[in-house]
Amino acid sequence: SLISFSICAYSVHSNPSSSVRHFPNDFLWGVGSSSYQIEGGWNADDKGESIWDYLTHKNPEKIVDQSNGDISADSYHQWRRDVEMVRELHVTSYRFSLSWPRIMPGGYMNHVSTAGIKYYSNLIDELLRYNITPMVTMYHWELPQRLQELGGWTNPEIIPVFKDYARLVLEMYGDRVKIWTTINEPWHVCEHGYGVDYMAPSYNFPGIPAYLCGHNLLKAHAEVVHMYRDEFQQRQGGRMGITLDTSWPEPRDQDSAEDREASDRAMQFYVGWFAHPIFSKHGNYPKVMIERIRNLSKQQGFGARSRLPEFTMEEIHRIKGTSDFFGINSYTSNLVNSNGHNNTGKFPIPSFNHDMGVVESQAGVDWPGSGSVWLKVYPKGMYNLLMWIHREYNGPEIIVTENGVSDRGGLEDYARVDYYNLYLSAVLDAMEDGANISGYIAWSLMDSYEWKAGYTEKFGLYHVDFSSPNRTRTPKISARVFANICKTNAIDWSYRPTLNDEQLVVAARLPAESMETSNAASTLSWSLALLLGILL
């Protein structure tokens, strides 16, 4: 499988063994995290309960290791060390999110936490002290639980309430924050939160509430962007966008028109659901979504009213153009083909997946795996995704706001090194083919709480000792390689450092199974490197 991977892993334009490839001098390099995943301090000071606090405390069995983010990497207390790590990586930007219930414990402006406001203010000031640009996400899945009890994103009440929250954070931090994103990964917020039993609030109610969520979310996003443009942008001088996500849907059979159509339909449903209303020339939901969901709703006995709500012309115009850049998160790819009339995917009826009518799978592929069952390494998918966005939305400015790979632990993460080199090569290929990509944010700064996977999957450039009181952070091999990439603005395949003294001390204390995983990944990675012919 490594040999076949070596063929698909070559960059589109050049043999990766060609020594060094450079990014533009003004390219934005960053590293990311999110509040619930790293902060801990779940009830510190007067912080309110979030939907993730509620889910993990009430239903710990829904998390692989029954864990929660109560303490996690304890960034609520270790933020100075976090900034030190960001500095060590030579990045120009740190992407982090604000915890809504830490700032407004009940979600409403009648109770604002002074401690919460101060926490992020200190973090922002510390970053600016070292010329690191804060890239701040207003909503990365941390809804105040009290708002969920009103129906969360399915209730239109969320629109003015989110706007009040956004106004407060713009007033508090907008003078210092120059890159904002309103919402991280709306598809996950809506489909994984409401359509299936996966992310909080895990409604497991397919086919209806996810579309209500998306409808309100798009309106809330637009209202915040208009408020920013009308009242803040001119004097604060920042930019505001949104971050969407998808895995690239690769047609199972490239020669099959039906499979290629399924791939495009998947892109319209996953990305277009939120991107078409904002980035397309005419706005509104993608035509294929409107028509399929309307027709299926009718067939399913819902009458003349589609399960996908309709925008008025005024709303279409209000939402269109409300992003200064296109944020995209992506990690992997899937092979896709059409579901067909006999529902071969066995999807619930109705459901988002049944509406989309696409079967996705990684079965039969020879792409290398990772620490996550869903994440397989296929860099060409990143190139395809970026070029699709470029073509579909008339060349918007794209920032890759998350990209990275998991393992199960250890510091010798050469497989992660190869992943970054390969995926960054794909980003460069897309840039050379005309895509307007202005930045890349690695996921993630450190090992943290990985939602349903708890602490079993590690995405960090820095290892975190979750058993130590101060959650000691140690750079992995990948941290040193990514720092070199950011410092030199270049991918250098020959740079493969070995563990230094500090790393060796920590590595010696790691549990045996973690080291075995690391060594296996390291062996796989070196074999892969040799097969690619990229070791000098």
Side-chain angles (χ1 to χ4, degrees):
S1 71
L2 283 172
I3 293 167
S4 45
F5 173 64
S6 70
I7 297 163
C8 75
Y10 279 107
S11 75
V12 178
H13 290 172
S14 58
N15 186 325
S17 62
S18 59
S19 54
V20 178
R21 294 183 72 192
H22 289 273
F23 284 82
N25 290 332
D26 60 352
F27 195 74
L28 178 79
W29 292 106
V31 65
S33 69
S34 88
S35 51
Y36 185 74
Q37 292 181 271
I38 67 166
E39 284 177 7
W42 83 273
N43 61 353
D45 301 303
D46 54 347
K47 179 187 169 288
E49 187 181 31
S50 77
I51 55 174
W52 277 93
D53 295 325
Y54 184 82
L55 173 76
T56 57
H57 294 160
K58 188 166 182 284
N59 297 107
E61 75 282 356
K62 291 191 174 190
I63 311 302
V64 168
D65 56 3
Q66 287 83 53
S67 65
N68 55 53
D70 287 5
I71 305 172
S72 188
D74 197 27
S75 287
Y76 189 61
H77 299 106
Q78 304 296 336
W79 56 272
R80 282 191 179 86
R81 171 61 180 138
D82 292 352
V83 175
E84 201 180 314
M85 286 146 54
V86 173
R87 287 172 60 204
E88 289 167 6
L89 289 170
H90 294 281
V91 294
T92 41
S93 178
Y94 178 41
R95 176 180 181 254
F96 64 94
S97 73
L98 307 175
S99 166
W100 188 347
R102 192 177 296 289
I103 291 169
M104 290 177 163
Y108 282 93
M109 61 194 296
N110 66 319
H111 181 186
V112 174
S113 167
T114 308
I117 293 287
K118 188 167 180 252
Y119 171 68
Y120 296 112
S121 192
N122 288 340
L123 175 59
I124 289 164
D125 285 345
E126 185 79 354
L127 289 165
L128 292 174
R129 184 173 295 129
Y130 299 105
N131 296 316
I132 296 156
T133 301
M135 182 178 193
V136 180
T137 303
M138 292 178 177
Y139 186 80
H140 196 127
W141 309 353
E142 262 204 280
L143 191 71
Q145 175 60 21
R146 294 300 278 171
L147 294 182
Q148 191 57 58
E149 287 157 19
L150 290 175
W153 289 98
T154 65
N155 186 342
E157 167 73 358
I158 197 82
I159 301 164
V161 178
F162 183 63
K163 190 177 173 183
D164 284 343
Y165 161 60
R167 179 186 293 281
L168 177 72
V169 301
L170 288 169
E171 284 168 352
M172 293 293 125
Y173 312 127
D175 58 330
R176 292 166 286 164
V177 174
K178 304 305 175 193
I179 313 177
W180 290 98
T181 46
T182 52
I183 293 155
N184 177 74
E185 300 187 350
W187 181 85
H188 276 278
V189 173
C190 295
E191 174 59 14
H192 266 180
Y194 296 88
V196 295
D197 180 6
Y198 199 69
M199 297 295 191
S202 65
Y203 266 34
N204 198 21
F205 187 164
I208 295 172
Y211 298 131
L212 300 177
C213 166
H215 209 64
N216 292 325
L217 187 149
L218 280 161
K219 290 184 193 179
H221 158 81
E223 287 310 308
V224 169
V225 173
H226 281 291
M227 174 179 67
Y228 183 60
R229 289 176 178 175
D230 294 345
E231 301 176 38
F232 296 93
Q233 196 165 30
Q234 197 172 354
R235 61 186 160 93
Q236 293 183 347
R239 302 191 305 148
M240 186 177 285
I242 192 166
T243 280
L244 310 182
D245 75 287
T246 192
S247 299
W248 169 252
E250 183 80 1
R252 182 166 284 282
D253 177 356
Q254 294 287 351
D255 297 326
S256 159
E258 193 179 27
D259 288 3
R260 291 196 306 272
E261 196 179 299
S263 169
D264 192 69
R265 193 162 67 246
M267 284 300 293
Q268 296 295 350
F269 269 73
Y270 279 118
V271 175
W273 180 4
F274 300 98
H276 204 275
I278 297 171
F279 295 98
S280 72
K281 190 178 171 188
H282 300 293
N284 205 355
Y285 294 122
K287 193 162 172 266
V288 67
M289 265 191 100
I290 294 170
E291 290 177 357
R292 282 182 70 90
I293 298 169
R294 184 177 57 215
N295 293 340
L296 284 166
S297 297
K298 208 171 188 175
Q299 286 171 29
Q300 291 155 0
F302 286 92
R305 200 160 147 259
S306 176
R307 288 176 284 104
L308 180 68
E310 286 183 29
F311 287 123
T312 64
M313 281 310 293
E314 189 184 353
E315 288 166 343
I316 289 168
H317 290 302
R318 185 107 177 122
I319 296 166
K320 190 157 62 78
T322 54
S323 196
D324 296 330
F325 55 87
F326 195 121
I328 187 72
N329 297 350
S330 193
Y331 293 82
T332 189
S333 299
N334 292 304
L335 293 183
V336 300
N337 54 276
S338 184
N339 187 36
H341 295 297
N342 53 354
N343 192 14
T344 49
K346 296 185 171 57
F347 301 126
I349 300 172
S351 65
F352 170 85
N353 282 322
H354 184 260
D355 291 338
M356 180 169 64
V358 173
V359 179
E360 301 165 278
S361 169
Q362 292 177 333
V365 299
D366 48 16
W367 309 335
S370 68
S372 310
V373 67
W374 56 271
L375 203 172
K376 297 201 187 311
V377 183
Y378 183 64
K380 180 77 190 303
M382 178 58 102
Y383 169 85
N384 292 341
L385 170 62
L386 294 167
M387 293 311 296
W388 188 93
I389 292 168
H390 174 70
R391 287 190 305 268
E392 186 74 10
Y393 303 114
N394 196 28
E397 178 191 343
I398 300 169
I399 301 175
V400 177
T401 37
E402 283 181 28
N403 180 237
V405 71
S406 61
D407 57 26
R408 291 301 175 116
L411 299 183
E412 291 184 281
D413 58 342
Y414 292 104
R416 182 171 287 109
V417 169
D418 285 340
Y419 181 96
Y420 278 121
N421 284 337
L422 287 164
Y423 273 69
L424 281 167
S425 296
V427 170
L428 261 181
D429 291 339
M431 291 169 74
E432 287 173 9
D433 280 351
N436 178 17
I437 303 159
S438 64
Y440 176 95
I441 317 289
W443 185 270
S444 66
L445 175 59
M446 66 192 118
D447 294 341
S448 60
Y449 187 73
E450 281 303 326
W451 311 110
K452 295 281 278 196
Y455 297 101
T456 63
E457 299 173 11
K458 320 287 189 185
F459 278 85
L461 292 164
Y462 280 75
H463 169 272
V464 176
D465 180 355
F466 291 104
S467 65
S468 76
N470 61 352
R471 299 302 195 262
T472 308
R473 288 103 154 101
T474 308
K476 303 177 188 178
I477 294 291
S478 60
R480 291 164 60 193
V481 172
F482 191 67
N484 189 62
I485 290 169
C486 299
K487 190 177 178 181
T488 61
N489 243 9
I491 305 166
D492 181 359
W493 284 89
S494 67
Y495 183 63
R496 299 179 79 79
T498 51
L499 294 178
N500 61 22
D501 291 347
E502 175 206 5
Q503 291 170 315
L504 284 166
V505 170
V506 174
R509 292 200 300 262
L510 289 180
E513 66 271 16
S514 167
M515 287 309 296
E516 282 164 22
T517 308
S518 178
N519 291 336
S522 167
T523 306
L524 170 80
S525 189
W526 281 103
S527 315
L528 168 59
L530 286 162
L531 280 164
L532 284 166
I534 57 179
L535 285 180
L536 302 182

